[in-house]
Amino acid sequence: MAVLRMNLQYFAGEKTEKATPRKRQESRKKGQVAKTNELPSAIIFLLIFIMFFLLGPYLAKNIINLYYKVFDQYLIWEVTPSNIRILFLEFIADLVWIILPIFIVAFIGGLLGNLVQIGFLFTSEPLKIKFERLNPIEGAKRIFSLKSLVEMTKSILKIIFVGYIAYSVLLDEKDNLLSLYYYDLTEIIVFIGNLLIELGLKTSLLLIVLSLFDYLYKKYEYEKNIRMSKQDIKDEYKKTEGDPLIKGKIKEKQRQMAMSRMMQAVPEADVIITNPTHFAIAISYKPEEMEAPMVLAKGMDYIALKIKELAKEHQIATVENKWLARTLYHQVEIGESVPEELYHAVAEVLAYVYRVKGLKKQS
C-alpha cells in the first residue's frame, strides 16, 4: 500500500490568507486601493443633468442671449485692433457664465465619487515612471488578459443599455421631433433641453448602478491581489515585532542584567526573610530615607540560595518566616515598599534583628 507524503512547505508560498492591516496600509500608500473610475464619471453625469433640470431656465436664458449677441451685435461689429480685445473679452465672459456651473458641478462630482470609495488619499506613487510598462510582452499580456476581457464586456453592456434607453426615450418623442420645424427657436431649445435632461438622468442612474457592480468586482479583485502567504505573514511579523530568537536573547540579557543589579543590592539589606529553602526576600529599612521598609531583592529556589549565600558573606541576619516570605514574594515587586497590611509582620522581624544586633554589640 503506497503512502502519499506531502510536504506542506510547497504550499507556504500560496497566497491564501487575507491581507494584514499593515499590508493594507502599505498598499494604500502606494495608491493601490479598491476603486472604479466608472463611479465618479456616473456621479458627474448625474449631477450635471440635475443641475440642468434645476438651472435650466437660467442656462437657456444665457444661451439665447449669447445667440442673439453673436448674430445681432458681434457679427456687425467692425473688427479693428482697438476693439478686437473688447469683443473677445465680452464673448468669453458670456460663455463663462454658461460653462462655470458645469465645471463646478463636475469638480464636486469627481471629488465625491473618489471620497465615497477611498476617502482622502494623496500619493505620488502612481505618477512614478515604471519602465516595465514599456515592455511589449507585458503589454500584450495585459491586452489578452482576463481583466481586458472583463473591461470589454462592461463596455459592451454599457453601450447596449445606454442605447436602449436612448432608443426608448426618442421613440416616445418621435412625433414631437418630426414636428420641430413648426416651433420657434425658444420652444425648440426648451424641448431639446427637456429631452436631453430626461435622457441624461435615466442614463446616469443606469451608469451609477453599473458602476456599483463594477466597484464590487474591483473590491474582489483588490482583495485577491493583496492576499498574503503564510510565509509573508511570518516575515511581516518578524519585521514589525522582531525575530523571536533575537527578542528571546535580548530578554535573557535583560534578565541577567536585572539579576546582577538585584544581587548587588543584597549587601545593603537589613534582613533576609526566608521560607527557609524555597523563598528569600531581602528587606531594607532606613528611617531617614524611607517611609516604609523596601524589598531590595527576592528569589525562589536557586536565586533564593544565591541571596542567602550573599547574606552570609556580608553577615546579614536571616530570619525564617514561611508565611511572610511567601506573601512578600508574590505581592511585592523589587524596589517597592512593603504594603500597609504587612507593616506589623515586617516590623516584628526588623525589631528582632535590631534586638539581636544590640545584644551582640553589648557582648
Side-chain angles (χ1 to χ4, degrees):
M1 177 177 164
V3 179
L4 180 61
R5 295 183 178 180
M6 299 180 66
N7 188 350
L8 296 179
Q9 291 296 324
Y10 293 140
F11 300 95
E14 290 190 7
K15 299 185 181 296
T16 57
E17 307 301 314
K18 288 186 177 182
T20 60
R22 180 182 176 86
K23 172 72 172 180
R24 294 177 185 277
Q25 187 178 10
E26 290 177 352
S27 298
R28 183 177 174 83
K29 287 180 180 179
K30 294 177 181 178
Q32 299 173 359
V33 290
K35 175 178 175 291
T36 174
N37 294 324
E38 306 292 337
L39 186 58
S41 302
I43 292 177
I44 290 172
F45 206 53
L46 177 64
L47 291 181
I48 285 177
F49 279 99
I50 290 175
M51 184 204 68
F52 285 158
F53 178 76
L54 297 175
L55 301 180
Y58 166 79
L59 295 175
K61 178 181 177 181
N62 283 316
I63 291 172
I64 293 171
N65 288 339
L66 181 61
Y67 176 83
Y68 282 129
K69 272 190 177 182
V70 169
F71 288 96
D72 286 350
Q73 299 180 25
Y74 297 153
L75 290 181
I76 63 175
W77 277 24
E78 182 180 354
V79 180
T80 62
S82 59
N83 66 8
I84 186 66
R85 182 174 177 274
I86 299 173
L87 174 64
F88 178 76
L89 290 176
E90 285 190 8
F91 180 77
I92 292 297
D94 292 332
L95 197 61
V96 164
W97 287 111
I98 298 172
I99 298 176
L100 185 61
I102 299 174
F103 277 108
I104 293 174
V105 170
F107 174 77
I108 294 173
L111 188 64
L112 182 62
N114 285 285
L115 287 176
V116 167
Q117 297 182 84
I118 61 175
F120 288 98
L121 175 62
F122 178 79
T123 176
S124 60
E125 191 69 24
L127 301 178
K128 291 183 179 179
I129 299 174
K130 296 181 179 179
F131 293 100
E132 60 267 18
R133 292 178 180 175
L134 303 178
N135 188 339
I137 298 177
E138 294 296 327
K141 289 180 180 179
R142 287 194 295 269
I143 292 173
F144 298 103
S145 64
L146 177 62
K147 184 178 180 181
S148 299
L149 180 62
V150 172
E151 294 296 327
M152 184 181 70
T153 305
K154 288 192 308 184
S155 300
I156 293 173
L157 288 175
K158 282 198 297 184
I159 292 172
I160 292 173
F161 288 133
V162 172
Y164 174 76
I165 289 177
Y167 172 77
S168 61
V169 171
L170 293 176
L171 186 64
D172 292 340
E173 299 292 340
K174 179 182 65 173
D175 295 335
N176 292 326
L177 285 170
L178 294 176
S179 60
L180 278 179
Y181 57 88
Y182 291 114
Y183 300 163
D184 60 23
L185 178 62
T186 303
E187 291 175 335
I188 291 174
I189 291 176
V190 171
F191 173 78
I192 293 177
N194 291 333
L195 187 63
L196 290 176
I197 288 172
E198 181 184 359
L199 183 61
L201 288 174
K202 290 182 177 179
T203 303
S204 58
L205 289 173
L206 171 67
L207 291 177
I208 285 180
V209 173
L210 293 177
S211 65
L212 291 176
F213 283 106
D214 185 50
Y215 174 75
L216 294 177
Y217 172 74
K218 295 287 187 183
K219 183 76 173 176
Y220 163 78
E221 193 177 46
Y222 169 75
E223 293 292 338
K224 183 179 178 181
N225 290 334
I226 65 171
R227 281 179 186 170
M228 303 173 69
S229 65
K230 295 183 184 296
Q231 186 61 42
D232 292 335
I233 294 176
K234 290 180 181 178
D235 293 341
E236 181 185 283
Y237 177 78
K238 287 182 180 180
K239 188 184 296 183
T240 54
E241 302 294 332
D243 193 323
L245 294 176
I246 296 176
K247 288 179 68 178
K249 291 181 180 179
I250 292 174
K251 287 183 178 179
E252 181 62 28
K253 188 66 176 177
Q254 290 174 341
R255 282 194 294 268
Q256 291 176 1
M257 293 174 65
M259 183 68 63
S260 177
R261 288 194 298 269
M262 184 182 73
M263 291 302 182
Q264 291 174 3
V266 171
E268 300 176 8
D270 293 313
V271 63
I272 306 297
I273 303 174
T274 65
N275 193 28
T277 56
H278 296 295
F279 297 97
I281 315 296
I283 300 291
S284 174
Y285 180 57
K286 297 178 174 55
E288 64 277 4
E289 298 178 6
M290 305 175 183
E291 295 182 357
M294 180 183 294
V295 174
L296 296 182
K298 68 176 184 176
M300 186 172 63
D301 297 332
Y302 176 75
I303 299 175
L305 180 62
K306 289 294 182 183
I307 291 174
K308 286 186 284 187
E309 289 178 355
L310 277 174
K312 188 175 181 181
E313 289 178 12
H314 293 84
Q315 298 180 350
I316 300 172
T318 301
V319 176
E320 179 182 335
N321 188 322
K322 296 180 180 180
W323 171 82
L324 184 57
R326 186 181 296 272
T327 305
L328 288 171
Y329 181 85
H330 289 294
Q331 293 188 10
V332 187
E333 296 298 326
I334 297 170
E336 291 184 357
S337 298
V338 173
E340 292 184 6
E341 58 269 20
L342 298 178
Y343 277 179
H344 182 71
V346 174
E348 286 184 348
V349 172
L350 289 172
Y352 169 76
V353 171
Y354 294 151
R355 189 164 58 251
V356 171
K357 286 183 178 179
L359 293 174
K360 287 182 178 180
K361 286 181 180 179
Q362 290 177 5
S363 62

